[in-house]
Amino acid sequence: MNWVWFHKLASPPSAYAFARTLRPWLLWPAIAMMVWAAYAGLFVAPPDYQQKDAYRIIFVHVPAAIMSSLVYTMMAIAAAIGLIWRMKMAHAVAAACAFSGAVFTALALVTGSIWGSRMWGTWWAWDARLTTVLILLFLYLGYMALRASFDDIGRADRASAVLAVVGVVNIPIIKYSVVWWNSLHQGATLSVFGKSAIDPSMRAPLWIMIFAFLLFFGAVLCDSLCAEILRRERNAKWVLTQGIAKSALLERV
Amino acid sequence: MSFEAFKMGEYGAYVWSSYGLTLVSLVWIATNARHSREQQLQQAQRRAQAAALDQKMADQNAATEQRA
């Protein structure tokens, strides 16, 4: 198999062009799927026999929670690649993931609190799952703060990459927190390989929404990565003289 | 679709506030990324214009020196 196309992604101008091309193919299907899944989750799926209509928060809470862990894992893998193989583009991908991941994590915590306020009778509990997700939010914020504290991009990359890699130990703890400890939080709703603990009429909108969030994050990552590449390559010849500045006017149209 | 479907029993406020926050968050993520990219593009355009101006002046100076 020809892997030249993959190795080309390590080049900033190639990665920039690839991200610009890919973005609309991710964004518009994501929006369409989100609209469908939201409609199906809100109005088509039947109410739960115990939680009645309150369970419908699951269609935004679970995708946000899954994305929070997935984005951090991706960030940590990119950071590790950057540390081991010293690839600048890997550090750029890690940096581009951070803000979105933090927002997904905060969203998961807030929607979970809203859901818990009715179902558990409390907005917050120092439960294993909630606490570990809160730690994840602090890891995201710490990563961004650490990056911002360095003037030199190279040192910022290395320091923040170490934090990202060390912090990834939190991800399996989040996943298995409901198994290892007595937790208010319910166990896994969905299973990729086994039987899911959710009715099929509710499962389809949930899977579609999860996939929509994934595509949406992909589209946002394309934009963030382009900004990160332009920031890092600001003095590079390809930015100044290969038409990108001229095409900026066209891109805004 | 009746008004009762929107009320969702006694849970309407909780469900709709969750969906509203989700929409706001997703829009925030998307606009933040787009704004960052636009900002970097504008800075790149300004640098390109400054570089072109510098090059033009350098060419003019070289031409003047040659005539002299």
Side-chain angles (χ1 to χ4, degrees):
Chain A
M1 189 177 174
N2 191 351
W3 288 99
V4 171
W5 66 271
F6 184 71
H7 291 294
K8 271 188 180 173
L9 290 176
S11 151
S14 301
Y16 184 91
F18 180 73
R20 290 292 298 132
T21 309
L22 187 61
R23 182 185 173 271
W25 293 98
L26 297 174
L27 182 64
W28 299 114
I31 291 173
M33 280 195 278
M34 269 184 202
V35 170
W36 183 90
Y39 173 77
L42 286 167
F43 302 114
V44 176
D48 182 69
Y49 83 103
Q50 270 187 329
Q51 300 186 34
K52 306 284 183 279
D53 286 302
Y55 94 97
R56 297 184 193 280
I57 299 175
I58 199 175
F59 296 108
V60 293
H61 170 71
V62 168
I66 288 175
M67 288 310 299
S68 68
S69 292
L70 203 64
V71 170
Y72 193 91
T73 306
M74 188 174 159
M75 198 170 89
I77 291 171
I81 291 172
L83 278 175
I84 296 167
W85 286 286
R86 298 178 192 241
M87 282 177 65
K88 285 190 300 182
M89 284 308 307
H91 286 301
V93 168
C97 287
F99 180 75
S100 304
V103 174
F104 281 130
T105 309
L107 184 63
L109 285 169
V110 170
T111 52
S113 286
I114 292 173
W115 197 354
S117 68
R118 281 303 290 186
M119 293 300 123
W120 301 339
T122 181
W123 290 88
W124 182 262
W126 291 105
D127 162 82
R129 173 58 65 88
L130 275 69
T131 307
T132 46
V133 174
L134 183 65
I135 291 171
L136 183 66
L137 178 62
F138 292 157
L139 283 167
Y140 275 117
L141 297 176
Y143 177 91
M144 291 189 286
L146 189 57
R147 287 200 68 83
S149 66
F150 288 95
D151 288 328
D152 178 49
I153 285 183
R155 293 178 71 183
D157 283 345
R158 285 189 294 277
S160 55
V162 169
L163 176 62
V165 169
V166 167
V168 83
V169 72
N170 192 37
I171 301 300
I173 296 175
I174 291 174
K175 163 85 176 144
Y176 291 106
S177 58
V178 293
V179 175
W180 293 340
W181 292 286
N182 286 324
S183 175
L184 266 179
H185 196 284
Q186 67 190 61
T189 306
L190 294 171
S191 174
V192 177
F193 301 110
K195 194 169 160 39
S196 295
I198 190 171
D199 189 79
S201 62
M202 303 166 181
R203 199 187 311 152
L206 184 54
W207 274 120
I208 298 289
M209 189 64 101
I210 290 168
F211 195 57
F213 267 55
L214 193 58
L215 292 183
F216 183 83
F217 168 70
V220 167
L221 181 60
C222 287
D223 265 343
S224 302
L225 184 59
C226 287
E228 192 62 33
I229 290 171
L230 289 172
R231 189 177 298 123
R232 287 161 184 265
E233 297 285 308
R234 61 168 74 84
N235 296 320
K237 199 176 174 188
W238 72 273
V239 174
L240 292 174
T241 65
Q242 284 191 17
I244 189 145
K246 286 179 194 171
S247 68
L249 275 172
L250 292 170
E251 282 189 279
R252 250 184 261 117
V253 169
Chain B
M1 214 178 297
S2 65
F3 180 67
E4 287 305 316
F6 282 92
K7 261 179 73 180
M8 296 191 186
E10 53 192 286
Y11 304 112
Y14 300 92
V15 175
W16 288 111
S17 59
S18 296
Y19 278 71
L21 279 168
T22 301
L23 181 63
V24 164
S25 301
L26 294 176
V27 168
W28 186 23
I29 291 172
T31 51
N32 179 71
R34 190 159 177 86
H35 175 71
S36 296
R37 191 176 65 83
E38 292 278 318
Q39 212 174 26
Q40 292 300 322
L41 275 173
Q42 282 173 7
Q43 287 177 8
Q45 194 183 10
R46 280 197 288 271
R47 281 195 299 275
Q49 285 170 349
L53 196 63
D54 287 344
Q55 184 61 40
K56 193 178 169 185
M57 287 183 65
D59 290 343
Q60 281 176 351
N61 288 339
T64 308
E65 278 173 18
Q66 216 170 16
R67 276 198 295 272

